[in-house]
Amino acid sequence: MSHRIRRGTLGVLSLLMLAAAAGCTPSWNGPNLGMFNYPIPVSPYFQKEAEDNFIDEERYKRVPILGPITPGTPHQALDPPSEDEIMRALERARMVQGGLPLLHEVQRKNVRIVVEPVADYVDPPRVMPLVGPVQVHHAHYKCIVYFTEVTRVGWPVPYTTVDEDCQEVIYIDHDHLHMVGNVDPGPGSPY
């Protein structure tokens, strides 16, 4: 009898060790969050908002620091705004990002974008904290977006409207910094 109990106990222990090695049981190393240890579903709205904020921060909200402006050369701004940047600004301004499926959908078709430079100027040199002596280069653009807007409403009465002559104007500012070699901040300045 004791032989069978030993064999059964050994079998149960070996199964528990196998299950623990396979990852079938929770890990006891580190903090345990109890019932919050399991994934919680997130709405696609909040996920898209977080992704859009990350893309904007990554691509468009950083200010580059370029080399100094050499005397005698024209000081043109960097690249004009991209089509992606213009369409993202348009979506933020109109608060429309496609609408609600089967209830109210908005589409933009035949999109044509015209970018016009409005102003391009450089501020006098100054000292900025954590950067040093720089000049701020401002570039302002007027972006006109021509498109056909198709709106589909699905409830309570389904209908579709097509506006073929839509246009929106978006103003986009691109600022960047230029390093400055010798800046005289004036007498009594700690810099």
Side-chain angles (χ1 to χ4, degrees), residues 104-116:
H104 184 266
E105 298 179 21
V106 179
Q107 296 177 347
R108 293 181 192 91
K109 299 181 178 183
N110 304 327
V111 177
R112 187 170 57 94
I113 299 173
V114 177
V115 178
E116 301 172 359

Side-chain angles (χ1 to χ4, degrees), residues 35-114:
M35 66 181 227
F36 300 110
N37 210 16
Y38 300 101
I40 299 170
V42 177
S43 168
Y45 172 79
F46 295 113
Q47 181 177 353
K48 183 173 183 345
E49 184 180 6
E51 288 174 359
D52 287 345
N53 290 340
F54 174 77
I55 290 172
D56 286 344
E57 188 70 33
E58 176 86 13
R59 293 182 186 169
Y60 306 121
K61 290 187 179 175
R62 294 185 180 178
V63 177
I65 302 174
L66 303 177
I69 298 174
T70 56
T73 60
H75 55 277
Q76 294 291 327
L78 291 175
D79 299 331
S82 66
E83 293 177 356
D84 177 56
E85 182 178 8
I86 295 168
M87 292 307 290
R88 284 180 180 277
L90 179 67
E91 286 179 357
R92 275 194 310 269
R94 294 194 69 195
M95 306 249 185
V96 174
Q97 294 190 4
L100 299 170
L102 303 175
L103 291 178
H104 184 266
E105 298 179 21
V106 179
Q107 296 177 347
R108 293 181 192 91
K109 299 181 178 183
N110 304 327
V111 177
R112 187 170 57 94
I113 299 173
V114 177

Side-chain angles (χ1 to χ4, degrees), residues 148-160:
T148 300
E149 185 174 69
V150 178
T151 305
R152 290 187 177 91
V153 176
W155 192 85
V157 178
Y159 66 91
T160 301

Side-chain angles (χ1 to χ4, degrees), residues 5-24:
I5 293 175
R6 283 188 200 150
R7 186 180 290 178
T9 306
L10 191 60
V12 168
L13 284 176
S14 62
L15 283 175
L16 286 175
M17 285 180 19
L18 225 115
C24 295

Side-chain angles (χ1 to χ4, degrees), residues 92-181:
R92 275 194 310 269
R94 294 194 69 195
M95 306 249 185
V96 174
Q97 294 190 4
L100 299 170
L102 303 175
L103 291 178
H104 184 266
E105 298 179 21
V106 179
Q107 296 177 347
R108 293 181 192 91
K109 299 181 178 183
N110 304 327
V111 177
R112 187 170 57 94
I113 299 173
V114 177
V115 178
E116 301 172 359
V118 175
D120 187 3
Y121 58 95
V122 179
D123 287 346
R126 65 179 176 170
V127 176
M128 289 184 142
L130 299 176
V131 178
V134 293
Q135 287 180 300
V136 181
H137 190 159
H138 301 278
H140 306 290
Y141 296 96
K142 176 183 178 181
C143 306
I144 306 170
V145 182
Y146 301 97
F147 57 93
T148 300
E149 185 174 69
V150 178
T151 305
R152 290 187 177 91
V153 176
W155 192 85
V157 178
Y159 66 91
T160 301
T161 61
V162 178
D163 189 359
E164 299 202 9
D165 294 329
C166 285
Q167 87 177 30
E168 291 285 335
V169 178
I170 301 286
Y171 291 94
I172 295 181
D173 300 335
H174 277 184
D175 297 337
H176 58 275
L177 303 174
H178 289 283
M179 293 186 293
V180 176

